[in-house]
Structures are given as C-alpha cells and as structure tokens.
Amino acid sequence: MNKILEKEHFSEKVVKLVVEAPSIAMSRKPGHFVIVRACEHGERIPLTIADADTDRGTITLVVQNVGESSAKICALNVGQYLTDVVGPLGKATHIEKVGTVVCCGGGVGVAPLLPIIKALKMAGNKVVSVLAARTKDLIILEKQVAEYSDELIIMTDDGSYGNKGLVTNGVESVINREKVDQVVTIGPAIMMKFVALLTKKYDIPTMCSLNTIMVDGTGMCGACRVTVDGKTKFVCIDGPEFDAHQVDFDEMMMRLRSYN
C-alpha cells in the first residue's frame, strides 16, 4: 500500500506523484483531500487529490516543496512508499449543471481544480478554464485541463506564455463576452481574493478552495480557522470549499503570513 508508481517534476519545486491507494481511489470525489506522512516520524501533510484511477487503484498528488516535511515527500522516488495516506477527507464539491462555468487556477491550485473541471464538464456544463502563473515554467497540468475544457486561457505575469496579465484579466475577458453562471477559483489567497472582488462586482456566484491554510486536517489544531459570512469555520472540517464572496481573505492572509 501507498507505493509510489510514478513521479514527475513539473518544476524544481513542484512534483507529481502517482500513489497506490485503491480504497481511496474508489471513494474519492472532487474536492476531497488526504493526509500524508513521508516517514514514521514525519509531519502530517494535507494534500488534495488531483486525480484517481480506479482500474489501477491509484491517486495523483501534486506536492510543492515549501519546507522540511514536503521536501521529504518530494525526495521519495518510484518504488518507495509513503508511510501513511489517509482519506478521503473534507466535503466533496457540489457539482450540478448551471450553464457556463469559468474555472481559474493559479500555481499548484490547478491540481485540486482539475477534478472539479472534469466533474463540471461531465455534468453538462460549458467549462472555460483560466490557468495563471508568474511565468511559463510554473503552468502545470495544461494538457489535462485542456482535455476537459471547452476553452483554455493561459495568463502569465511576464507574458512568457499565453496572454500577459493576471488571472482576473482572463476571467473578465470571458465575462465581457458571454454570460457566466458560476466561477470556481483555487490558488494563492491573494489571487482568490481579487477573483472574488471581480465576480462580486458582476454578481456571479463564486466558489473557492482554502486548502492552502490546512495543517493538521482533523479540526483539532485550529490553524485553518477562517471567517466566512462573519462566522468562524474550520477549512478541513467545514470545507475546504466556501462561497468566495463570504470569505475574509485579509484575515486568512494575515494568518498565512504568521506561518511563514
């Protein structure tokens, strides 16, 4: 169990792992995450399930090397094992046919966005995906996203790939040309904040995923407290997805800075 079958470097700091986990692969839904430990005395790391293959009994995880624990996971190679993979955890994404949905992802946020894109497309929606990053080398899962999107828009800060500009520029270009019924945004907190501000102006329902603030994944540590519609919520128990127009992103970003 939990054997690493495939490993791919998206960039120097971002790694994709395909891991043996048949029971999780069978029961996981878009929005779910797992808790992973690299070794017996390793820290618990929450990771969103980017994909699953029930025939092979595998799940796909995308890991960003941002500290000692994530570095240990990224250092594992094909044939080695993760000590623990527990899940699926969290609340699954609510999927329904609403019409035209714009799905925008930044950086490694594209990993949890991918299964949502797939599910929305399979539910009969028109899906326009907007992927954004600082530069071309940081765009991930482009081919997989394109497969389940009616249209794919790439935005880079430096203009090295796709269109030069921010994710909000890409989203607004779609809003200005056609009716958008829903927006889904996953990525850095600052990105989701400005997507939410944009879509609130146009009165478009918007869902965000706050998985980046999770630590323990069980609701016991309290690190993932966020304020949603004036009420305290725990991302790992009540989410990780919330109405983006109700999230206090400034408070969330303040807490994220304290971890750094």
Side-chain angles (χ1 to χ4, degrees):
M1 294 290 287
N2 309 330
K3 184 178 182 180
I4 297 171
L5 303 182
E6 297 177 28
K7 180 179 182 180
E8 178 183 350
H9 281 270
F10 286 143
S11 66
E12 182 185 357
K13 294 285 188 179
V14 181
V15 173
K16 182 185 87 169
L17 300 176
V18 177
V19 181
E20 206 171 44
S23 60
I24 298 175
M26 287 185 65
S27 56
R28 94 25 153 155
K29 294 180 180 178
H32 280 154
F33 66 93
V34 291
I35 293 290
V36 175
R37 284 199 307 158
C39 55
E40 186 175 349
H41 299 291
E43 183 183 14
R44 297 159 53 87
I45 300 290
L47 296 171
T48 307
I49 303 169
D51 202 359
D53 187 328
T54 53
D55 293 332
R56 295 180 67 195
T58 62
I59 59 172
T60 299
L61 306 174
V62 176
V63 190
Q64 185 172 22
N65 184 344
V66 293
E68 182 179 349
S69 297
S70 54
K72 288 178 181 178
I73 296 173
C74 291
L76 294 172
N77 292 309
V78 172
Q80 293 183 291
Y81 293 80
L82 291 165
T83 297
D84 289 320
V85 180
V86 179
L89 302 170
K91 292 185 176 180
T93 306
H94 176 70
I95 300 292
E96 62 179 330
K97 184 177 180 180
V98 296
T100 298
V101 184
V102 175
C103 296
C104 52
V108 293
V110 179
L113 188 65
L114 177 59
I116 296 172
I117 290 170
K118 285 185 179 182
L120 286 168
K121 183 60 183 173
M122 292 175 68
N125 294 287
K126 177 182 178 181
V127 178
V128 180
S129 297
V130 182
L131 304 188
R134 293 193 308 275
T135 187
K136 178 181 179 179
D137 294 340
L138 299 178
I139 296 288
I140 67 171
L141 297 169
E142 178 186 352
K143 185 183 298 184
Q144 293 89 334
V145 168
E147 183 180 352
Y148 293 94
S149 302
D150 294 276
E151 181 184 356
L152 174 60
I153 299 170
I154 304 290
M155 304 296 301
T156 51
D157 293 359
D158 61 3
S160 57
Y161 191 46
N163 304 295
K164 184 175 182 178
L166 303 175
V167 67
T168 46
N169 299 129
V171 174
E172 192 162 27
S173 70
V174 182
I175 294 171
N176 286 336
R177 75 175 193 221
E178 64 183 285
K179 182 179 183 294
V180 173
D181 300 286
Q182 184 181 0
V183 170
V184 179
T185 180
I186 307 179
I190 189 69
M191 184 203 91
M192 294 188 289
K193 172 186 174 178
F194 281 101
V195 169
L197 288 172
L198 172 68
T199 58
K200 190 171 185 178
K201 181 175 70 173
Y202 290 99
D203 197 26
I204 301 171
T206 301
M207 184 273 286
C208 64
S209 179
L210 308 184
N211 49 43
T212 55
I213 201 172
M214 288 192 297
V215 177
D216 180 73
T218 64
M220 292 189 292
C221 74
C224 69
R225 294 190 317 277
V226 291
T227 300
V228 181
D229 193 21
K231 302 179 181 67
T232 298
K233 301 288 184 180
F234 292 87
V235 173
C236 61
I237 300 299
D238 301 309
E241 295 164 3
F242 298 95
D243 179 345
H245 296 161
Q246 301 293 333
V247 174
D248 187 336
F249 283 106
D250 291 332
E251 178 192 61
M252 177 183 172
M253 288 187 289
M254 183 174 63
R255 182 165 292 122
L256 283 168
R257 283 194 295 270
S258 71
Y259 298 154
N260 296 330

